[in-house]
Structure formats: C-alpha cells, structure tokens
C-alpha cells in the first residue's frame, strides 16, 4: 500500500512511534510518505520505500501567525495526488487530523481515507482548552478510523467528547532488536562508582512529567543507597530542576544529559527508571526501559497500568507520593535477587505484550479496512 504518515518530527513518543511504524511498514514492502515540517528525528536512514515531504510555511508579513495547518493540508493533498496514496495516517487529532480532512477535499479523483491515532496530549489540551472541543470532536468523528494508544485514553476520549465512535486500542511497541540490555561497562564507570546504583528519567521535561517528584524520589533513595540520577531530555522544567538539585546539594550526583538520540546504552547501565507523571496516556519511556531490563517506578496514572505489570515489572504509586515511590525503590534496589527477577520479567513482558510484528499487523488491518471504502 501507499501510506502517508503525518507526525511531529521532534523528540517525543508520538514521533518515535510514527517513524518506527513507517520504517517497519517500508521493510514489509509498503511505500511510506512522511509529511512533516522537519525530517522526523528517528528517520536516520535511506530506504527505497521511504519518502519525505517537507511542509513549508509561508512567512508573509500579513500573517501574524504562519498558517501551518493550511500548509500541512496542502502538502498532504499534494503528496496524496503525486504518490496516489491509499491512506493517510495522522498522529494527533490536533492539528494533524484537521489538516488531513481538509486535504481529503483537495483530492478529487478518489476518496482519501484518514486514520487518526490519539496519543494523549491532544485530549489533554482539549481538557484545558474548551475552545478546541468541537473541532477535535469533529476530527475524530470524521476520521475513517481512530486508534488510541491505550484503553485508558480510549475511555477518556469517549468520556470527554461523549462520542460513540469506534476507537480501536493499538498499543505502542518497541523494536526488540534495538531495545535490549547491552553491555556498556565503560559508560557505567563514567557515571557510577563501585556499588552505586543508577536511576534514570527520560522525558521532554514538561510540567506533566513532575520532575520535582523525580528529584525528590532520588534524594530519598540516595540517603539510603549511594546512587546517581541520569536526567535525559530537555524542556520547560529544566531550569527549575537544576535549581532543585543545587538546593539539595546533589549537583555531583545528578547528571543532566540533555536530549539524546539513542538511549539504549544509558538504559542498559541503569537500575531503575522513574516516571512519576501526573498523566501518561501510554508511557513509551516505561516500555523502552523495561525492554532494556530496567524496572520502573511510576505513578498510577492513565495508561501506565496497561504497560507496567504491578509488582512484576515495576511499581505504581499514587501521583505525587514521592516518599512512597522512594520506599519501593529502596526496597527493590536493596535486593539483588528481587531486582534480577524484575529486570528479567520486564524484558520478557516488553517483548511479549508489545510485539512489533503484531502491532504493525494491527495497523495494516486498519489501513486495509479503510482503503476498501469508497466514501464514508
Ligand atoms: O509525553 C509527552 O509530552 C509527549 C507525547 C508525544 O507526543 O510523544 O507523549 C504522548 O504520546 C506517547 C506516545 O504514544 C505516549 O507514550 C505518552 O504517554 C503520551 N504523553 C502523555 O500522555 C503525557
């Protein structure tokens, strides 16, 4: 099939999922057309079945705000006509689905089916910005198929929009060839001395990630067990996190590594992943950690209970309970046998429950279903 994929090109789970999906579909012989304002950061290879269409936004003095949505719609329409796309798959309802629905009107010689995958933040934005409620509802209802990355997100969407739309849950996935525990002894030595444990947090440092809790949990753990904290990522909360670390006198124990393209080695030297988010529709960072044998301490929020097996691959505590999270972390890090068991189970669970081949097939089924439609 010829499939258009629209996603954010920047760091973040939705872009990673969209890009890895496109790469896997291309390997299976589909022709993939990525459409975005920048080359997706994970699209770091050449493949004869992969094309990239860059959206250029007109910078005209009259426009106070560059009309990205219209530029994107126009690019989707152009790519659809040029490549004779069978389907366009957008990641995020706002603004991508709205643009794709507009593009559908530009393709006059055939019906262009639109598949929308909800990743969570689109729904959260609407929760905070009621002005977007109607347009998001419309983009969901008018899509030919809608998928959500967890049952929790599906339920939240139905509840918020009061819609009866069929929303299929398709979980995120990892490539088990890439995400596995690797030996990196030199890297481990760089960050941790003998007997020290390594905790890791990976995110875009948005308020929803609750970096304050990450650092509070680490501070508690470090009082009991000599440890280090790797902070991977960047974003609006970075400065506050630096200040908190300095105020706690932990600057030599917490390493801010910025945005990293590849995290497998960093995860492989880690003993525990911290994800105390206030909300998390899926938690791809937790899945990536588990695949690399790192148990996760997370908050009991959103789709995380669908990703982490409580007491088997990690622990989930109520949002904001940094002290309880720290207690669980200390308990786990104090028992090598328990940690080994959990690390093993985490790898197995990540490989089995989120198998890339199965998830790719699920998306292929959705494409097949919508592309056989002549019109809605
Ligand atoms: O978490 C973010 O801020 C980034 C956002 C994104 O666009 O990648 O993540 C959302 O989509 C990911 C991929 O499906 C999920 O793993 C994350 O849980 C979800 N983030 C939130 O729900 C806060």
């Amino acid at each position: 099939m010829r499939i258009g994929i629209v996603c954010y090109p920047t760091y973040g789970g939705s872009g990673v999922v969209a890009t890895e999906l496109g790469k896997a579909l291309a390997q299976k012989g589909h022709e993939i057309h990525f459409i975005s304002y920048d080359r997706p950061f994970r699209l770091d290879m050449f493949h004869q079945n992969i094309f990239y269409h860059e959206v250029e936004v007109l910078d005209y003095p009259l426009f106070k705000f560059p009309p990205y949505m219209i530029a994107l719609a126009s690019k989707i329409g152009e790519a659809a006509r040029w490549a004779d796309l069978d389907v366009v798959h957008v990641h995020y309802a706002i603004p991508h689905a709205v643009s794709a629905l507009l593009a559908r009107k530009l393709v006059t010689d055939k019906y262009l089916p639109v598949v929308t995958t909800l990743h969570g933040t689109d729904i959260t934005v609407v929760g905070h910005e009621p002005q977007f409620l109607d347009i998001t509802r419309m983009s969901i209802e008018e899509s030919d198929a809608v998928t959500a990355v967890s049952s929790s997100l599906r339920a939240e969407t139905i509840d918020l929009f009061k819609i009866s739309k069929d929303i299929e849950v398709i979980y995120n996935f990892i490539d088990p060839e890439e995400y596995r525990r690797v030996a990196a002894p030199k890297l481990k030595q760089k960050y941790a001395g003998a007997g020290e444990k390594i905790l890791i947090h990976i995110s875009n440092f948005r308020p929803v990630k609750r970096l304050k809790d990450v650092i509070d949990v680490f501070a508690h753990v470090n009082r009991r067990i000599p440890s280090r904290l790797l902070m991977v990522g960047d974003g609006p909360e970075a400065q506050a996190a630096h200040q908190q670390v300095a105020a706690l006198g932990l600057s030599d124990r917490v390493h801010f590594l910025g945005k990293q393209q590849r995290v497998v080695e960093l995860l492989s030297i880690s003993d525990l992943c911290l994800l105390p988010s206030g909300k998390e529709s899926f938690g791809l960072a937790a899945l990536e950690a588990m695949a690399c044998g790192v148990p996760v301490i997370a908050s009991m929020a959103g789709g995380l209970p669908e990703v982490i097996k409580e007491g088997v691959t990690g622990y989930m505590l109520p949002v904001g309970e940094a002290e309880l999270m720290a207690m669980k972390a200390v308990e786990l890090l104090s028992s090598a046998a328990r940690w080994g068991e959990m690390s093993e189970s985490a790898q197995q669970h990540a490989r089995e429950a989120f198998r890339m081949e199965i998830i790719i097939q699920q998306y292929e089924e959705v494409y097949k279903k919508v592309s056989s439609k002549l019109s809605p």
Side-chain angles (χ1 to χ4, degrees):
M1 289 181 86
R2 291 172 298 272
I3 303 158
I5 294 186
V6 180
C7 64
Y8 282 118
T10 46
Y11 287 78
S14 63
V16 170
V17 169
T19 312
E20 295 301 333
L21 172 65
K23 281 155 75 172
L25 288 164
Q27 293 288 5
K28 289 186 83 172
H30 297 285
E31 190 178 294
I32 303 302
H33 293 260
F34 284 100
I35 306 160
S36 193
Y37 60 82
D38 217 341
R39 196 177 170 84
F41 85 101
R42 282 282 188 97
L43 195 55
D44 50 0
M45 33 91 85
F46 170 77
H47 193 290
Q48 60 189 14
N49 291 349
I50 297 182
F51 298 77
Y52 164 57
H53 306 256
E54 189 161 301
V55 181
E56 279 169 54
V57 184
L58 196 64
D59 192 12
Y60 185 65
L62 198 64
F63 295 144
K64 186 172 173 198
F65 305 104
Y68 180 66
M69 250 185 60
I70 294 176
L72 175 61
S74 158
K75 201 68 181 179
I76 298 172
E78 182 190 308
R81 286 190 303 262
W82 178 75
D84 193 19
L85 295 181
D86 297 304
V87 57
V88 60
H89 182 182
V90 300
H91 294 260
Y92 272 120
I94 287 193
H96 297 163
V98 180
S99 297
L101 293 171
L102 211 57
R104 193 157 74 183
K105 299 232 181 274
L106 303 174
V107 184
T108 48
D109 58 340
K110 72 185 236 191
Y111 182 71
L112 179 66
V114 174
V115 174
T116 298
T117 289
L118 305 173
H119 284 274
T121 310
D122 23 17
I123 305 310
T124 321
V125 165
V126 165
H128 292 288
E129 297 284 345
Q131 53 167 328
F132 292 130
L133 190 83
D134 289 340
I135 197 151
T136 310
R137 184 192 289 113
M138 181 279 289
S139 68
I140 292 172
E141 276 173 343
E142 297 288 310
S143 294
D144 297 273
V146 179
T147 75
V149 296
S150 65
S151 302
S152 147
L153 180 59
R154 177 182 181 275
E156 197 184 343
T157 306
I158 290 172
D159 185 48
L160 184 65
F161 296 103
K162 310 277 177 272
I163 43 174
S164 55
K165 181 91 183 172
D166 200 12
I167 300 178
E168 186 175 343
V169 174
I170 302 186
Y171 285 140
N172 290 332
F173 59 93
I174 39 101
D175 179 354
E177 294 297 315
E178 190 187 343
Y179 280 88
R180 59 199 167 83
R181 203 165 178 88
V182 296
K186 284 213 176 105
L187 190 65
K188 181 141 194 164
Q189 272 169 22
K190 178 170 166 44
Y191 291 114
E196 283 182 340
K197 300 291 180 195
I198 297 183
L199 284 72
I200 189 167
H201 170 78
I202 306 178
S203 79
N204 51 14
F205 289 22
R206 288 201 298 130
V208 72
K209 304 295 172 179
R210 299 183 68 95
L211 297 201
K212 185 182 177 308
D213 288 357
V214 173
I215 295 161
D216 281 344
V217 172
F218 173 72
H220 279 288
V221 172
N222 184 52
R223 262 179 241 131
R224 308 283 296 275
I225 300 172
S227 347
R228 302 288 176 131
L229 174 63
L230 305 182
M231 294 288 282
V232 184
D234 204 352
E237 295 293 293
Q239 203 185 346
H242 283 122
Q243 284 167 357
Q244 188 188 352
V245 166
L248 289 167
L250 290 171
S251 299
D252 58 337
R253 305 229 135 235
V254 180
H255 307 270
F256 286 91
L257 306 183
K259 289 180 183 175
Q260 295 292 330
Q261 178 97 5
R262 209 184 131 82
V263 290
V264 170
E265 284 76 13
L266 292 168
L267 285 168
S268 295
I269 61 164
S270 299
D271 299 289
L272 203 59
C273 169
L274 301 178
L275 197 60
S277 311
K279 225 171 181 4
E280 204 67 70
S281 66
F282 181 86
L284 188 65
L287 177 58
E288 292 179 345
M290 293 187 323
C292 294
V294 189
V296 183
I297 302 271
S299 41
M300 179 65 86
L304 284 169
E306 295 170 61
V307 178
I308 300 165
K309 262 180 149 175
E310 174 63 22
V312 180
T313 70
Y315 295 106
M316 285 163 289
L317 284 307
V319 174
E321 293 288 356
E323 211 168 316
L324 294 180
M325 291 179 190
M327 278 163 66
K328 277 290 176 201
V330 169
E331 188 187 304
L332 180 60
L333 294 174
S334 306
S335 163
R338 181 83 191 100
W339 184 88
E341 238 172 65
M342 226 181 214
S343 167
E344 196 46 56
S345 306
Q347 293 174 66
Q348 199 181 336
H349 179 56
R351 273 196 303 265
E352 286 170 5
F354 304 95
R355 273 182 58 193
M356 187 161 133
E357 315 91 80
I358 307 283
I359 310 272
I360 303 299
Q361 276 171 20
Q362 290 174 344
Y363 279 118
E364 283 178 298
E365 283 305 315
V366 173
Y367 301 151
K368 244 189 260 162
K369 227 185 287 167
V370 296
S371 65
S372 59
K373 269 179 156 183
L374 291 176
S375 64

